[in-house]
Amino acid sequence: MADYDAIVVGAGLAGSTAAYCMAKAGLSVLLLERGDTAGVKNVTGGRLYGHSLEKVIPGFAQEAPVERKIVRERVSMMTEDSCFTADFHTPSRFDDASCASYTVLRAEFDAWLASKAEEAGCDLVSPAHADDLLRENGKIIGIKGGEDELTAEVVLLADGVNSLLGQKAGLKKELSPHHVAVGAKEILELPKGVINDRFGLNDGEGMANLFAGFPSAGMVGGGFLYTNKESLCLGLVITVADMSKSAVRLPDLLEKFREHPAVKPLVAGAKLVEYSAHLVPEGGLAMLPALSADNLLLLGDAAGLCMNLGYTVRGMDLAVASGHLAAQTVIEAKEKGDFSNNVLAGYKSRLEQSFVLKDMRTHKNAPHFIEHTPRMFSEYPALAADVFTQLFKVDGTPSRLMLKKALPLVSKVGFLNLIKDGLKGSRAL
Amino acid sequence: MNIEQKLSLNKFMVDEGNPHIVPHQDKMDQAAVNTLTVVCPAGLYTVDERGKLVFEVAGCLECGTCRVALAHLPGALEWNHPRASFGVMFRYG
Ligand SMILES: Cc1cc2nc3c(=O)[nH]c(=O)nc-3n(C[C@H](O)[C@H](O)[C@H](O)COP(=O)(O)OP(=O)(O)OC[C@H]3O[C@@H](n4cnc5c(N)ncnc54)[C@H](O)[C@@H]3O)c2cc1C
Ligand code: SF4
């Protein structure tokens, strides 16, 4: 007899969701987390799209430690000395729980979700590091951690983007520098009222702002700024492949971003309280590993289930959904008494039928488009700046019609390039 | 604020004498050494005046960037998580 029906490695969003759902269905579940408490090893940019957690814990935002509900979306294109921003403000359109999104801080949020799993009846052990899979005649029968060996019918690897265990299990290869980006982020403390005033928000309302161009110094990547209750998240994400060839270190790029004339006043007076970094899987379907094997499932970032579309980043809602669907698959396996890949492969079918792999398929060309359209990170922000400079510069020299102002600027980038990239982009993103 | 000052704001439990990352410069070319000095978000890899790679494990943010950046050079870097209860502990995350 195995010690547990299921052992889940990693109490991030994917792992805790899976543990919660399985425990609630009456399975015996062990959840292992290497951090002292769930969340202390985890970093995100900022925004959780709530729809998938809403399905697992309806009304979760009422009790979970969410920071602010996003009502303001900003997308900015930056050059060294300018910033063009599209600002969409709507307190009502994204209000419904089915599409609401919230800023979250993982140390607190993950601890809450793990406690829900515990309440549902799962055993949570932290800190506990799963060192390797435990096998008997080749069959996975549990995990090893330090001196301990623990057995289960099935092991769910929700150990995050680095997933050392996913590699040891042979389900995935080492990550490619083209498929992951490195994110660095600062938590900047500011009083609630100042945040409200500065960003035009009421209590509880939040803003998300992504930046292209200057922040990544033309490399594939961008900057972000999210509002929490009493702090801001300011950060940068750049692919490891580009970063490896960079002349400037990542922390120095972040410093320049914070000092940018458009950003500096937004963070003025804020107190830096934490500096973190983490990888983001961005390879899309191209990096999708095998998602299951006999007695084994791969969840969330460990499975590369994450999408960076430039105007939005989504990994947390996919992680939650993958945890939910993995749990359903294990519950079916328990009913059938069959934990082989015959039943566990149903996990991938469930992902295919859900938004997770549907959305990743819809946006399957996004990673390629983003990586191979460097103009997005240099020429286009510069073009936007030039066009707006022409529009708003009044210096007494004879004015020209808008078209005449814009044409020579656009022809610098090339009309064909603009049309081609526009078409390709709107098909990929 | 420089990177050392930023790291000093974080909470770390250092596993003295038991580094979770061990670089092997003899298995790296110069390009790999340069890469390490630029990719690490904590700036933990530097090169001394003799060209020797110097690595300071104490401020590690456990991101994995250095490992991925040298994925093409097997054996150049031993990379693991710190043992349970050691390493960085994000208070916000
Ligand atoms: C800078 C940045 C910005 C981002 N912005 C957004 C955003 O705005 N919106 C969004 O939706 N997504 C965003 N993402 C992506 C999102 O954060 C991830 O997709 C999500 O956190 C994945 O959750 P997970 O549960 O799969 O993995 P993780 O959250 O990484 O959890 C893995 C867990 O496993 C534990 N663990 C690992 N190995 C072991 C082991 N051997 N034994 C025991 N425990 C182990 C870890 O400690 C951790 O708790 C961003 C990511 C980054 C880095
Ligand atoms: S894991 Fe990240 S922070 Fe640690 S040494 Fe490597 S690159 Fe630097």
Side-chain angles (χ1 to χ4, degrees), chain A residues 11-12 15-17 19-20 23 31 37-39 57 63-65 107-124 126:
Chain A
S16 287
T17 303
Y20 172 83
L31 175 59
T37 51
I57 306 175
E63 63 165 299
E108 213 188 335
F109 193 82
D110 290 16
W112 169 79
L113 192 57
S115 76
K116 295 298 286 181
E118 241 184 329
E119 270 171 38
C122 107
D123 289 344
L124 167 65
S126 63

PDB file of all heavy atoms in Angstrom, chain A residues 11-12 15-17 19-20 23 31 37-39 57 63-65 107-124 126:
ATOM      1  N   ALA A  11       4.235  23.832  -3.771  1.00  0.00           N
ATOM      2  CA  ALA A  11       2.984  24.487  -3.368  1.00  0.00           C
ATOM      3  C   ALA A  11       2.910  25.881  -3.969  1.00  0.00           C
ATOM      4  O   ALA A  11       2.748  26.881  -3.281  1.00  0.00           O
ATOM      5  CB  ALA A  11       2.861  24.531  -1.852  1.00  0.00           C
ATOM      6  N   GLY A  12       3.078  25.948  -5.303  1.00  0.00           N
ATOM      7  CA  GLY A  12       2.776  27.172  -6.037  1.00  0.00           C
ATOM      8  C   GLY A  12       1.299  27.113  -6.412  1.00  0.00           C
ATOM      9  O   GLY A  12       0.532  26.331  -5.818  1.00  0.00           O
ATOM     10  N   GLY A  15       0.390  23.496  -7.939  1.00  0.00           N
ATOM     11  CA  GLY A  15       0.443  22.406  -6.966  1.00  0.00           C
ATOM     12  C   GLY A  15      -0.657  22.514  -5.915  1.00  0.00           C
ATOM     13  O   GLY A  15      -1.339  21.522  -5.616  1.00  0.00           O
ATOM     14  N   SER A  16      -0.831  23.702  -5.353  1.00  0.00           N
ATOM     15  CA  SER A  16      -1.840  23.838  -4.297  1.00  0.00           C
ATOM     16  C   SER A  16      -3.246  23.649  -4.844  1.00  0.00           C
ATOM     17  O   SER A  16      -4.112  23.087  -4.166  1.00  0.00           O
ATOM     18  CB  SER A  16      -1.721  25.203  -3.607  1.00  0.00           C
ATOM     19  OG  SER A  16      -0.574  25.217  -2.779  1.00  0.00           O
ATOM     20  N   THR A  17      -3.493  24.113  -6.081  1.00  0.00           N
ATOM     21  CA  THR A  17      -4.818  23.907  -6.672  1.00  0.00           C
ATOM     22  C   THR A  17      -5.081  22.407  -6.848  1.00  0.00           C
ATOM     23  O   THR A  17      -6.150  21.907  -6.502  1.00  0.00           O
ATOM     24  CB  THR A  17      -4.921  24.612  -8.046  1.00  0.00           C
ATOM     25  OG1 THR A  17      -4.632  25.986  -7.870  1.00  0.00           O
ATOM     26  CG2 THR A  17      -6.309  24.446  -8.630  1.00  0.00           C
ATOM     27  N   ALA A  19      -3.684  19.915  -5.240  1.00  0.00           N
ATOM     28  CA  ALA A  19      -3.812  19.275  -3.931  1.00  0.00           C
ATOM     29  C   ALA A  19      -5.186  19.560  -3.330  1.00  0.00           C
ATOM     30  O   ALA A  19      -5.839  18.667  -2.771  1.00  0.00           O
ATOM     31  CB  ALA A  19      -2.704  19.775  -2.995  1.00  0.00           C
ATOM     32  N   TYR A  20      -5.630  20.797  -3.467  1.00  0.00           N
ATOM     33  CA  TYR A  20      -6.949  21.191  -2.943  1.00  0.00           C
ATOM     34  C   TYR A  20      -8.050  20.338  -3.577  1.00  0.00           C
ATOM     35  O   TYR A  20      -8.889  19.768  -2.883  1.00  0.00           O
ATOM     36  CB  TYR A  20      -7.180  22.678  -3.229  1.00  0.00           C
ATOM     37  CG  TYR A  20      -8.575  23.166  -2.920  1.00  0.00           C
ATOM     38  CD1 TYR A  20      -8.929  23.524  -1.617  1.00  0.00           C
ATOM     39  CD2 TYR A  20      -9.544  23.279  -3.919  1.00  0.00           C
ATOM     40  CE1 TYR A  20     -10.211  23.966  -1.322  1.00  0.00           C
ATOM     41  CE2 TYR A  20     -10.823  23.723  -3.638  1.00  0.00           C
ATOM     42  CZ  TYR A  20     -11.153  24.068  -2.344  1.00  0.00           C
ATOM     43  OH  TYR A  20     -12.430  24.497  -2.056  1.00  0.00           O
ATOM     44  N   ALA A  23      -7.797  16.572  -2.543  1.00  0.00           N
ATOM     45  CA  ALA A  23      -8.155  16.346  -1.136  1.00  0.00           C
ATOM     46  C   ALA A  23      -9.655  16.504  -0.939  1.00  0.00           C
ATOM     47  O   ALA A  23     -10.288  15.741  -0.210  1.00  0.00           O
ATOM     48  CB  ALA A  23      -7.390  17.321  -0.239  1.00  0.00           C
ATOM     49  N   LEU A  31       1.436  17.325   0.042  1.00  0.00           N
ATOM     50  CA  LEU A  31       1.933  18.474  -0.708  1.00  0.00           C
ATOM     51  C   LEU A  31       3.268  18.891  -0.104  1.00  0.00           C
ATOM     52  O   LEU A  31       3.338  19.215   1.083  1.00  0.00           O
ATOM     53  CB  LEU A  31       0.901  19.608  -0.623  1.00  0.00           C
ATOM     54  CG  LEU A  31       1.224  20.972  -1.241  1.00  0.00           C
ATOM     55  CD1 LEU A  31       1.515  20.856  -2.737  1.00  0.00           C
ATOM     56  CD2 LEU A  31       0.045  21.943  -1.026  1.00  0.00           C
ATOM     57  N   THR A  37       7.602  28.448   3.986  1.00  0.00           N
ATOM     58  CA  THR A  37       6.150  28.405   3.821  1.00  0.00           C
ATOM     59  C   THR A  37       5.885  28.542   2.329  1.00  0.00           C
ATOM     60  O   THR A  37       6.757  28.978   1.576  1.00  0.00           O
ATOM     61  CB  THR A  37       5.447  29.569   4.564  1.00  0.00           C
ATOM     62  OG1 THR A  37       6.089  30.792   4.187  1.00  0.00           O
ATOM     63  CG2 THR A  37       5.534  29.409   6.072  1.00  0.00           C
ATOM     64  N   ALA A  38       4.678  28.170   1.909  1.00  0.00           N
ATOM     65  CA  ALA A  38       4.361  28.254   0.482  1.00  0.00           C
ATOM     66  C   ALA A  38       4.417  29.708   0.040  1.00  0.00           C
ATOM     67  O   ALA A  38       3.852  30.579   0.700  1.00  0.00           O
ATOM     68  CB  ALA A  38       2.969  27.681   0.225  1.00  0.00           C
ATOM     69  N   GLY A  39       5.117  29.967  -1.062  1.00  0.00           N
ATOM     70  CA  GLY A  39       5.154  31.316  -1.639  1.00  0.00           C
ATOM     71  C   GLY A  39       6.471  32.040  -1.465  1.00  0.00           C
ATOM     72  O   GLY A  39       6.782  32.932  -2.251  1.00  0.00           O
ATOM     73  N   ILE A  57     -12.585  27.738  -6.568  1.00  0.00           N
ATOM     74  CA  ILE A  57     -13.077  28.301  -5.308  1.00  0.00           C
ATOM     75  C   ILE A  57     -13.932  29.522  -5.659  1.00  0.00           C
ATOM     76  O   ILE A  57     -13.412  30.644  -5.733  1.00  0.00           O
ATOM     77  CB  ILE A  57     -11.910  28.715  -4.373  1.00  0.00           C
ATOM     78  CG1 ILE A  57     -10.946  27.547  -4.159  1.00  0.00           C
ATOM     79  CG2 ILE A  57     -12.441  29.249  -3.046  1.00  0.00           C
ATOM     80  CD1 ILE A  57      -9.706  27.886  -3.348  1.00  0.00           C
ATOM     81  N   GLU A  63     -12.110  36.270  -0.013  1.00  0.00           N
ATOM     82  CA  GLU A  63     -11.341  35.845   1.161  1.00  0.00           C
ATOM     83  C   GLU A  63      -9.830  35.785   0.920  1.00  0.00           C
ATOM     84  O   GLU A  63      -9.050  35.831   1.866  1.00  0.00           O
ATOM     85  CB  GLU A  63     -11.845  34.487   1.675  1.00  0.00           C
ATOM     86  CG  GLU A  63     -11.658  33.348   0.675  1.00  0.00           C
ATOM     87  CD  GLU A  63     -11.809  31.962   1.298  1.00  0.00           C
ATOM     88  OE1 GLU A  63     -11.032  31.618   2.197  1.00  0.00           O
ATOM     89  OE2 GLU A  63     -12.734  31.234   0.864  1.00  0.00           O
ATOM     90  N   ALA A  64      -9.430  35.684  -0.333  1.00  0.00           N
ATOM     91  CA  ALA A  64      -7.990  35.549  -0.612  1.00  0.00           C
ATOM     92  C   ALA A  64      -7.289  36.897  -0.452  1.00  0.00           C
ATOM     93  O   ALA A  64      -7.914  37.937  -0.630  1.00  0.00           O
ATOM     94  CB  ALA A  64      -7.796  35.042  -2.041  1.00  0.00           C
ATOM     95  N   PRO A  65      -5.971  36.863  -0.123  1.00  0.00           N
ATOM     96  CA  PRO A  65      -5.242  38.120  -0.009  1.00  0.00           C
ATOM     97  C   PRO A  65      -4.860  38.678  -1.381  1.00  0.00           C
ATOM     98  O   PRO A  65      -3.714  38.644  -1.770  1.00  0.00           O
ATOM     99  CB  PRO A  65      -3.998  37.718   0.803  1.00  0.00           C
ATOM    100  CG  PRO A  65      -3.806  36.269   0.506  1.00  0.00           C
ATOM    101  CD  PRO A  65      -5.155  35.685   0.230  1.00  0.00           C
ATOM    102  N   ALA A 107       4.081  35.609  -1.778  1.00  0.00           N
ATOM    103  CA  ALA A 107       4.381  35.078  -0.448  1.00  0.00           C
ATOM    104  C   ALA A 107       3.078  34.918   0.336  1.00  0.00           C
ATOM    105  O   ALA A 107       2.848  33.906   1.006  1.00  0.00           O
ATOM    106  CB  ALA A 107       5.354  35.982   0.292  1.00  0.00           C
ATOM    107  N   GLU A 108       2.214  35.898   0.222  1.00  0.00           N
ATOM    108  CA  GLU A 108       0.964  35.852   0.967  1.00  0.00           C
ATOM    109  C   GLU A 108      -0.085  35.008   0.245  1.00  0.00           C
ATOM    110  O   GLU A 108      -0.775  34.187   0.845  1.00  0.00           O
ATOM    111  CB  GLU A 108       0.453  37.286   1.120  1.00  0.00           C
ATOM    112  CG  GLU A 108      -0.287  37.527   2.420  1.00  0.00           C
ATOM    113  CD  GLU A 108      -0.943  38.908   2.448  1.00  0.00           C
ATOM    114  OE1 GLU A 108      -0.470  39.816   1.732  1.00  0.00           O
ATOM    115  OE2 GLU A 108      -1.930  39.070   3.157  1.00  0.00           O
ATOM    116  N   PHE A 109      -0.176  35.212  -1.069  1.00  0.00           N
ATOM    117  CA  PHE A 109      -1.241  34.543  -1.813  1.00  0.00           C
ATOM    118  C   PHE A 109      -1.053  33.023  -1.821  1.00  0.00           C
ATOM    119  O   PHE A 109      -2.000  32.269  -1.590  1.00  0.00           O
ATOM    120  CB  PHE A 109      -1.295  35.071  -3.254  1.00  0.00           C
ATOM    121  CG  PHE A 109      -2.543  34.664  -3.972  1.00  0.00           C
ATOM    122  CD1 PHE A 109      -3.720  35.377  -3.803  1.00  0.00           C
ATOM    123  CD2 PHE A 109      -2.553  33.544  -4.794  1.00  0.00           C
ATOM    124  CE1 PHE A 109      -4.893  34.985  -4.436  1.00  0.00           C
ATOM    125  CE2 PHE A 109      -3.724  33.148  -5.433  1.00  0.00           C
ATOM    126  CZ  PHE A 109      -4.893  33.870  -5.261  1.00  0.00           C
ATOM    127  N   ASP A 110       0.168  32.570  -2.074  1.00  0.00           N
ATOM    128  CA  ASP A 110       0.416  31.125  -2.142  1.00  0.00           C
ATOM    129  C   ASP A 110       0.207  30.463  -0.782  1.00  0.00           C
ATOM    130  O   ASP A 110      -0.260  29.323  -0.698  1.00  0.00           O
ATOM    131  CB  ASP A 110       1.834  30.841  -2.654  1.00  0.00           C
ATOM    132  CG  ASP A 110       1.979  31.192  -4.135  1.00  0.00           C
ATOM    133  OD1 ASP A 110       1.110  31.911  -4.654  1.00  0.00           O
ATOM    134  OD2 ASP A 110       2.965  30.764  -4.756  1.00  0.00           O
ATOM    135  N   ALA A 111       0.578  31.195   0.281  1.00  0.00           N
ATOM    136  CA  ALA A 111       0.370  30.644   1.628  1.00  0.00           C
ATOM    137  C   ALA A 111      -1.122  30.443   1.862  1.00  0.00           C
ATOM    138  O   ALA A 111      -1.549  29.432   2.440  1.00  0.00           O
ATOM    139  CB  ALA A 111       0.961  31.576   2.676  1.00  0.00           C
ATOM    140  N   TRP A 112      -1.925  31.392   1.386  1.00  0.00           N
ATOM    141  CA  TRP A 112      -3.381  31.265   1.541  1.00  0.00           C
ATOM    142  C   TRP A 112      -3.906  30.042   0.768  1.00  0.00           C
ATOM    143  O   TRP A 112      -4.654  29.230   1.315  1.00  0.00           O
ATOM    144  CB  TRP A 112      -4.087  32.540   1.041  1.00  0.00           C
ATOM    145  CG  TRP A 112      -5.561  32.364   0.923  1.00  0.00           C
ATOM    146  CD1 TRP A 112      -6.481  32.402   1.942  1.00  0.00           C
ATOM    147  CD2 TRP A 112      -6.300  32.055  -0.263  1.00  0.00           C
ATOM    148  NE1 TRP A 112      -7.738  32.144   1.455  1.00  0.00           N
ATOM    149  CE2 TRP A 112      -7.655  31.936   0.103  1.00  0.00           C
ATOM    150  CE3 TRP A 112      -5.941  31.879  -1.609  1.00  0.00           C
ATOM    151  CZ2 TRP A 112      -8.669  31.641  -0.824  1.00  0.00           C
ATOM    152  CZ3 TRP A 112      -6.945  31.583  -2.533  1.00  0.00           C
ATOM    153  CH2 TRP A 112      -8.286  31.470  -2.139  1.00  0.00           C
ATOM    154  N   LEU A 113      -3.465  29.910  -0.499  1.00  0.00           N
ATOM    155  CA  LEU A 113      -3.986  28.802  -1.312  1.00  0.00           C
ATOM    156  C   LEU A 113      -3.557  27.453  -0.725  1.00  0.00           C
ATOM    157  O   LEU A 113      -4.344  26.497  -0.699  1.00  0.00           O
ATOM    158  CB  LEU A 113      -3.508  28.950  -2.769  1.00  0.00           C
ATOM    159  CG  LEU A 113      -4.180  28.044  -3.787  1.00  0.00           C
ATOM    160  CD1 LEU A 113      -5.694  28.239  -3.792  1.00  0.00           C
ATOM    161  CD2 LEU A 113      -3.630  28.301  -5.198  1.00  0.00           C
ATOM    162  N   ALA A 114      -2.308  27.394  -0.233  1.00  0.00           N
ATOM    163  CA  ALA A 114      -1.834  26.148   0.372  1.00  0.00           C
ATOM    164  C   ALA A 114      -2.654  25.836   1.634  1.00  0.00           C
ATOM    165  O   ALA A 114      -2.960  24.670   1.917  1.00  0.00           O
ATOM    166  CB  ALA A 114      -0.350  26.244   0.712  1.00  0.00           C
ATOM    167  N   SER A 115      -3.042  26.872   2.362  1.00  0.00           N
ATOM    168  CA  SER A 115      -3.839  26.638   3.575  1.00  0.00           C
ATOM    169  C   SER A 115      -5.224  26.114   3.197  1.00  0.00           C
ATOM    170  O   SER A 115      -5.823  25.331   3.939  1.00  0.00           O
ATOM    171  CB  SER A 115      -3.949  27.917   4.422  1.00  0.00           C
ATOM    172  OG  SER A 115      -4.877  28.818   3.844  1.00  0.00           O
ATOM    173  N   LYS A 116      -5.738  26.520   2.037  1.00  0.00           N
ATOM    174  CA  LYS A 116      -7.026  25.982   1.578  1.00  0.00           C
ATOM    175  C   LYS A 116      -6.886  24.485   1.287  1.00  0.00           C
ATOM    176  O   LYS A 116      -7.780  23.688   1.582  1.00  0.00           O
ATOM    177  CB  LYS A 116      -7.500  26.691   0.303  1.00  0.00           C
ATOM    178  CG  LYS A 116      -7.822  28.152   0.464  1.00  0.00           C
ATOM    179  CD  LYS A 116      -8.953  28.421   1.429  1.00  0.00           C
ATOM    180  CE  LYS A 116     -10.306  28.061   0.876  1.00  0.00           C
ATOM    181  NZ  LYS A 116     -11.377  28.371   1.866  1.00  0.00           N
ATOM    182  N   ALA A 117      -5.752  24.117   0.689  1.00  0.00           N
ATOM    183  CA  ALA A 117      -5.515  22.700   0.392  1.00  0.00           C
ATOM    184  C   ALA A 117      -5.443  21.907   1.700  1.00  0.00           C
ATOM    185  O   ALA A 117      -5.987  20.796   1.806  1.00  0.00           O
ATOM    186  CB  ALA A 117      -4.229  22.533  -0.414  1.00  0.00           C
ATOM    187  N   GLU A 118      -4.774  22.516   2.682  1.00  0.00           N
ATOM    188  CA  GLU A 118      -4.664  21.864   3.989  1.00  0.00           C
ATOM    189  C   GLU A 118      -6.036  21.691   4.636  1.00  0.00           C
ATOM    190  O   GLU A 118      -6.367  20.624   5.145  1.00  0.00           O
ATOM    191  CB  GLU A 118      -3.775  22.703   4.900  1.00  0.00           C
ATOM    192  CG  GLU A 118      -2.549  21.984   5.375  1.00  0.00           C
ATOM    193  CD  GLU A 118      -1.757  22.820   6.359  1.00  0.00           C
ATOM    194  OE1 GLU A 118      -1.763  24.067   6.264  1.00  0.00           O
ATOM    195  OE2 GLU A 118      -1.119  22.212   7.231  1.00  0.00           O
ATOM    196  N   GLU A 119      -6.828  22.755   4.600  1.00  0.00           N
ATOM    197  CA  GLU A 119      -8.194  22.698   5.146  1.00  0.00           C
ATOM    198  C   GLU A 119      -8.999  21.593   4.472  1.00  0.00           C
ATOM    199  O   GLU A 119      -9.834  20.945   5.099  1.00  0.00           O
ATOM    200  CB  GLU A 119      -8.934  24.011   4.859  1.00  0.00           C
ATOM    201  CG  GLU A 119      -8.794  25.085   5.904  1.00  0.00           C
ATOM    202  CD  GLU A 119      -9.398  26.395   5.394  1.00  0.00           C
ATOM    203  OE1 GLU A 119     -10.442  26.358   4.709  1.00  0.00           O
ATOM    204  OE2 GLU A 119      -8.780  27.445   5.662  1.00  0.00           O
ATOM    205  N   ALA A 120      -8.742  21.391   3.174  1.00  0.00           N
ATOM    206  CA  ALA A 120      -9.490  20.372   2.435  1.00  0.00           C
ATOM    207  C   ALA A 120      -9.030  18.966   2.817  1.00  0.00           C
ATOM    208  O   ALA A 120      -9.632  17.978   2.405  1.00  0.00           O
ATOM    209  CB  ALA A 120      -9.342  20.597   0.938  1.00  0.00           C
ATOM    210  N   GLY A 121      -7.930  18.886   3.572  1.00  0.00           N
ATOM    211  CA  GLY A 121      -7.523  17.586   4.100  1.00  0.00           C
ATOM    212  C   GLY A 121      -6.184  17.072   3.613  1.00  0.00           C
ATOM    213  O   GLY A 121      -5.813  15.932   3.899  1.00  0.00           O
ATOM    214  N   CYS A 122      -5.438  17.895   2.863  1.00  0.00           N
ATOM    215  CA  CYS A 122      -4.153  17.379   2.398  1.00  0.00           C
ATOM    216  C   CYS A 122      -3.075  17.636   3.446  1.00  0.00           C
ATOM    217  O   CYS A 122      -3.186  18.548   4.254  1.00  0.00           O
ATOM    218  CB  CYS A 122      -3.807  17.975   1.033  1.00  0.00           C
ATOM    219  SG  CYS A 122      -2.520  19.192   1.011  1.00  0.00           S
ATOM    220  N   ASP A 123      -2.047  16.804   3.468  1.00  0.00           N
ATOM    221  CA  ASP A 123      -0.908  17.032   4.366  1.00  0.00           C
ATOM    222  C   ASP A 123       0.068  17.955   3.652  1.00  0.00           C
ATOM    223  O   ASP A 123       0.546  17.630   2.568  1.00  0.00           O
ATOM    224  CB  ASP A 123      -0.179  15.707   4.677  1.00  0.00           C
ATOM    225  CG  ASP A 123      -1.010  14.814   5.592  1.00  0.00           C
ATOM    226  OD1 ASP A 123      -1.975  15.327   6.204  1.00  0.00           O
ATOM    227  OD2 ASP A 123      -0.702  13.607   5.679  1.00  0.00           O
ATOM    228  N   LEU A 124       0.362  19.086   4.282  1.00  0.00           N
ATOM    229  CA  LEU A 124       1.316  20.034   3.701  1.00  0.00           C
ATOM    230  C   LEU A 124       2.585  19.976   4.526  1.00  0.00           C
ATOM    231  O   LEU A 124       2.542  20.144   5.744  1.00  0.00           O
ATOM    232  CB  LEU A 124       0.721  21.445   3.726  1.00  0.00           C
ATOM    233  CG  LEU A 124       1.665  22.617   3.440  1.00  0.00           C
ATOM    234  CD1 LEU A 124       2.196  22.571   2.007  1.00  0.00           C
ATOM    235  CD2 LEU A 124       0.946  23.956   3.668  1.00  0.00           C
ATOM    236  N   SER A 126       6.314  21.697   4.790  1.00  0.00           N
ATOM    237  CA  SER A 126       7.288  22.693   4.339  1.00  0.00           C
ATOM    238  C   SER A 126       8.091  23.169   5.543  1.00  0.00           C
ATOM    239  O   SER A 126       7.521  23.321   6.615  1.00  0.00           O
ATOM    240  CB  SER A 126       6.585  23.870   3.668  1.00  0.00           C
ATOM    241  OG  SER A 126       5.743  24.543   4.584  1.00  0.00           O
TER     242      SER A 126
END
